[in-house]
Amino acid sequence: MQLKEKKSHSPKYLNLNSKKKPVEIGFLKKNLFFIVLFAVTFLVFGNGIGNDYALDDDFYTAGGNKLTTMGVRGIPQIFKNHTFYNNDGTGYSYRPVALATFAIENSFFGENPHVSHFLSVLLYALCIVILFSLLRKWFNSQGNWFSFFICLLFLVHPLHTEVVDNIKCRDELLALFFILLTFHALWKYIETKKLVYLILYPILFTAGLLSK
């Protein structure tokens, strides 16, 4: 009787332990492409985090925009006024979402070029990850490697160096970020028919338009 009880308990004990590793391995396997693309982005562009301000960065930061120096208190004014101003006081352009991100950054970190460069690389990495997620859905029959190599080529293309390394170009990164999220929300609506995605995608699209 005692031998039977040991036999009945031991398989259960072994099964509990055997479930841990497959879950961990499954998570890494499922998200491996995302992790690699995210890591490669920082590997390629991470050396720019240590850079200082460059030409035209004062359009948004580096003490050149009075609305940014106000921090989050300036956000209402950011959405009511022009984004840039000439020396004679005349304003032009309207990119409130981009300027608001610099105002928020200023409230938490002050005007720090290294933080700004880090956020640019982070934003670009998120764009790459979202792009891969979309391409994997759109080209599902081609397999994950097909979408992965497209994103990898897009990631390392020299044409994007200025956009990522120039702090001022955050407006372009934000525009791409929100437009990709727009496609993602729209596709989720097509897949699920949930009203929340139908409401979300025009909001994201508008945020993209107000970024650049």
Side-chain angles (χ1 to χ4, degrees):
M1 187 68 179
Q2 291 180 352
L3 290 173
K4 288 182 179 179
E5 288 180 356
K6 286 182 180 179
K7 288 181 181 179
S8 61
H9 283 105
S10 57
K12 292 181 180 178
Y13 176 77
L14 291 172
N15 286 339
L16 287 173
N17 285 344
S18 63
K19 287 180 181 178
K20 292 181 180 179
K21 284 187 177 180
V23 170
E24 295 174 357
I25 295 173
F27 174 81
L28 289 174
K29 185 177 180 180
K30 183 179 178 181
N31 297 282
L32 183 61
F33 289 104
F34 294 101
I35 295 170
V36 171
L37 287 171
F38 193 88
V40 171
T41 305
F42 274 88
L43 182 65
V44 174
F45 293 98
N47 61 340
I49 296 176
N51 292 341
D52 208 332
Y53 291 117
L55 186 66
D56 292 339
D57 285 344
D58 57 353
F59 276 88
Y60 286 108
T61 184
N65 194 303
K66 62 180 181 179
L67 294 175
T68 300
T69 57
M70 294 172 64
V72 292
R73 294 182 294 107
I75 291 180
Q77 294 299 319
I78 287 173
F79 281 86
K80 292 178 182 178
N81 296 282
H82 292 288
T83 300
F84 309 129
Y85 287 87
N86 293 313
N87 294 331
D88 60 1
T90 56
Y92 64 99
S93 192
Y94 187 66
R95 306 174 187 179
V97 171
L99 191 61
T101 64
F102 283 99
I104 295 170
E105 178 189 335
N106 187 283
S107 292
F108 285 98
F109 306 103
E111 291 189 332
N112 188 324
H114 309 309
V115 173
S116 296
H117 282 299
F118 171 80
L119 292 176
S120 293
V121 179
L122 177 62
L123 194 56
Y124 187 58
L126 292 175
C127 288
I128 297 298
V129 167
I130 298 169
L131 178 63
F132 174 73
S133 178
L134 286 170
L135 293 179
R136 192 171 63 165
K137 293 175 183 291
W138 295 341
F139 299 99
N140 184 48
S141 61
Q142 303 294 330
N144 289 336
W145 284 103
F146 177 79
S147 299
F148 174 78
F149 282 117
I150 291 177
C151 290
L152 191 63
L153 178 62
F154 182 86
L155 190 164
V156 301
H157 200 289
L159 188 65
H160 303 148
T161 302
E162 181 183 1
V163 176
V164 182
D165 286 340
N166 193 337
I167 294 173
K168 182 264 172 193
C169 290
R170 184 185 297 180
D171 48 16
E172 298 185 32
L173 289 172
L174 284 169
L176 175 63
F177 177 70
F178 284 116
I179 295 304
L180 288 173
L181 284 179
T182 300
F183 281 117
H184 193 274
L186 184 58
W187 200 258
K188 289 292 288 184
Y189 172 72
I190 294 173
E191 290 179 331
T192 65
K193 301 301 180 184
K194 290 184 178 180
L195 183 61
V196 62
Y197 295 114
L198 187 62
I199 297 173
L200 187 59
Y201 94 83
I203 296 174
L204 293 168
F205 182 72
T206 303
L209 293 178
L210 295 177
S211 296
K212 176 62 177 177

